[in-house]
Amino acid sequence: GWKDAISTKIINFNNEKMQITWAARELFPGQNVSFSYTFDEGKHKVWKPCPTYLLDQEYNSGCLFKTEGPTLAISIRNSNGSEELFSKRLKSDFYIKPTRPENVTFFWKEDMVTVSCNKPERGVKCLRLELQYKSKFDKDWQSRTSKCCSVGEQGFDPRKCYSFRVRLKRLVPFCNVLNYSSDWEAETFWMNGTLLDSCDEDIKSQSNTAIVLSCLLTGLLMLLVLLILLCKWQRFQQSVMPVIPDPKYVFADLFNDHNGNFQEWIDKTDHAVVQTKLEYEEPECIIEAESHQEDEKNSGKKELQEKIFAFAGAAENKDPKAAQVACLVPTSNITASFAGFQVLMNDDMYVML
């Protein structure tokens, strides 16, 4: 009965190669066993010795041989083959481990990703394609399984970088006794439909972008502060030290017309000033004042009124003298109008404008 208790691990690699292993040191301590197998049925079986042994510290711990049919019988014997230590018959098709998916392609459409691979030559109905993915913010893988050989998933954020991996699985218990899956296809990294070498590049690019933006903002703030300080400094300079005018612009005639010859420039300037005074001499202001004592005020007023009326008549006759301004000392606060002239009267004089 102890022969049936021996534990073995049986794997049929894509129905091409068989691998059977056992715990040699625990099951058969101190002895090196032999292994034989056959795919024939009936009484006339042809047993074949193991072509390739797997070793564990120089002890035979397994055998690797070619798959030749659906029914397999194995036998483990002592070193010289005289005693059988373990035997078993099994269906090799129930221990298939598929190979990695081939020619894996990714198709992106907005937030949906469809992954597909080539169909294997045999056992397609027993296979399922499993897709696993995670973003750089996820700790665990998200899984999605579909029929071979296409699987789709949606809800991907185009701003995130995702890691993808796929593998093929055998259906249990309809096709396999054990839940065997293929090895994972090489992990790939995608972001918004673009293949990347790794998601570290995305993190690095984002950090570089953040550094560039922060540097630009810092530079702009420093420039703004410098401009403010410059304006305040100019105002302070103007308030403490007024700007001295440049004689080149104030005395443009001296430098442009006379090449800096001050004597020539001053002589010409004095001559021009004298002519200007002669040509634009202001009209004289005629002031007539009379001093009278208290008893002669009435007679003085009559004389002034006569002068005013005479001056008004001259203005009506377009006399040139009428253009002159007569300034008379007024004698009261009474205002009167004579022929377009305004006369102010005070106690001691008249003013006619």
Side-chain angles (χ1 to χ4, degrees):
W2 66 272
K3 294 182 180 179
D4 296 333
I6 292 178
S7 176
T8 58
K9 184 176 180 181
I10 304 170
I11 304 175
N12 184 358
F13 291 102
N14 198 38
N15 209 21
E16 295 175 358
K17 286 185 178 183
M18 296 291 300
Q19 176 180 292
I20 299 177
T21 58
W22 56 86
R25 291 182 299 168
E26 297 176 4
L27 298 175
F28 315 108
Q31 59 177 324
N32 208 0
V33 298
S34 63
F35 178 88
S36 59
Y37 69 96
T38 181
F39 286 94
D40 298 330
E41 297 183 12
K43 295 180 180 181
H44 303 286
K45 297 179 181 178
V46 179
W47 293 89
K48 297 180 181 179
C50 177
T52 304
Y53 278 104
L54 304 176
L55 301 179
D56 180 12
Q57 294 184 1
E58 298 183 358
Y59 286 95
N60 296 335
S61 60
C63 182
L64 185 65
F65 54 94
K66 185 179 179 180
T67 304
E68 299 176 1
T71 303
L72 173 65
I74 61 174
S75 176
I76 299 177
R77 296 174 176 269
N78 57 6
S79 58
N80 57 16
S82 60
E83 181 184 359
E84 187 177 63
L85 303 177
F86 173 76
S87 64
K88 186 175 183 178
R89 295 179 70 249
L90 54 96
K91 287 285 188 182
S92 62
D93 292 345
F94 282 1
Y95 295 88
I96 294 178
K97 179 179 180 179
T99 58
R100 293 178 179 179
E102 298 178 353
N103 194 21
V104 179
T105 57
F106 289 80
F107 177 74
W108 288 74
K109 185 178 182 182
E110 298 178 353
D111 67 336
M112 185 172 182
V113 178
T114 303
V115 183
S116 59
C117 67
N118 291 345
K119 289 184 178 181
E121 297 179 358
R122 293 174 292 182
V124 177
K125 294 182 179 180
C126 291
L127 294 175
R128 293 292 181 268
L129 181 63
E130 182 182 9
L131 168 68
Q132 286 191 349
Y133 60 91
K134 67 177 180 178
S135 70
K136 57 187 178 181
F137 303 103
D138 300 328
K139 294 182 179 180
D140 301 324
W141 290 93
Q142 306 294 323
S143 183
R144 173 74 171 165
T145 305
S146 182
K147 292 181 179 182
C148 185
C149 291
S150 178
V151 59
E153 186 61 68
Q154 60 182 7
F156 292 96
D157 190 343
R159 298 170 295 180
K160 294 181 180 180
C161 179
Y162 291 90
S163 303
F164 291 92
R165 63 182 185 180
V166 292
R167 67 179 179 180
L168 291 173
K169 299 177 65 175
R170 289 275 294 185
L171 288 177
V172 177
F174 305 103
C175 298
N176 256 36
V177 175
L178 300 176
N179 187 12
Y180 282 155
S181 301
S182 71
D183 294 333
W184 291 104
E185 179 64 14
E187 187 175 346
T188 57
F189 307 92
W190 296 81
M191 181 176 179
N192 195 21
T194 302
L195 180 63
L196 304 176
D197 292 335
S198 68
C199 284
D200 295 336
E201 294 183 359
D202 177 47
I203 298 174
K204 188 182 296 183
S205 63
Q206 289 184 353
S207 62
N208 291 338
T209 304
I211 292 172
V212 171
L213 290 177
S214 61
C215 291
L216 288 176
L217 290 175
T218 304
L220 291 175
L221 288 175
M222 292 179 64
L223 182 60
L224 181 61
V225 171
L226 289 176
L227 289 175
I228 294 173
L229 292 176
L230 181 61
C231 292
K232 290 189 175 182
W233 173 251
Q234 288 180 348
R235 291 181 181 178
F236 175 76
Q237 267 189 329
Q238 291 177 357
S239 61
V240 176
M241 297 178 291
V243 179
I244 300 174
D246 191 349
K248 181 178 179 181
Y249 301 100
V250 178
F251 304 99
D253 295 342
L254 173 63
F255 294 97
N256 295 334
D257 299 339
H258 303 283
N259 295 325
N261 191 334
F262 181 78
Q263 188 61 41
E264 180 181 344
W265 173 75
I266 197 65
D267 293 340
K268 187 173 181 180
T269 303
D270 291 342
H271 180 68
V273 170
V274 171
Q275 288 183 350
T276 304
K277 289 183 177 180
L278 293 176
E279 291 177 0
Y280 299 99
E281 184 176 2
E282 294 183 356
E284 297 180 355
C285 178
I286 302 173
I287 300 175
E288 296 183 4
E290 296 183 359
S291 300
H292 301 283
Q293 297 179 354
E294 293 295 332
D295 55 351
E296 294 177 353
K297 285 183 179 181
N298 294 331
S299 60
K301 290 179 180 180
K302 289 181 180 180
E303 291 178 2
L304 290 173
Q305 288 177 356
E306 289 177 359
K307 290 180 180 181
I308 291 169
F309 285 113
F311 190 74
E316 291 178 357
N317 295 329
K318 299 181 179 180
D319 191 345
K321 294 181 179 181
Q324 297 179 350
V325 179
C327 299
L328 303 178
V329 180
T331 58
S332 66
N333 292 330
I334 301 173
T335 303
S337 179
F338 297 93
F341 293 87
Q342 186 178 18
V343 180
L344 301 177
M345 303 179 186
N346 288 323
D347 293 339
D348 297 328
M349 61 183 176
Y350 289 86
V351 177
M352 181 172 67
L353 305 175

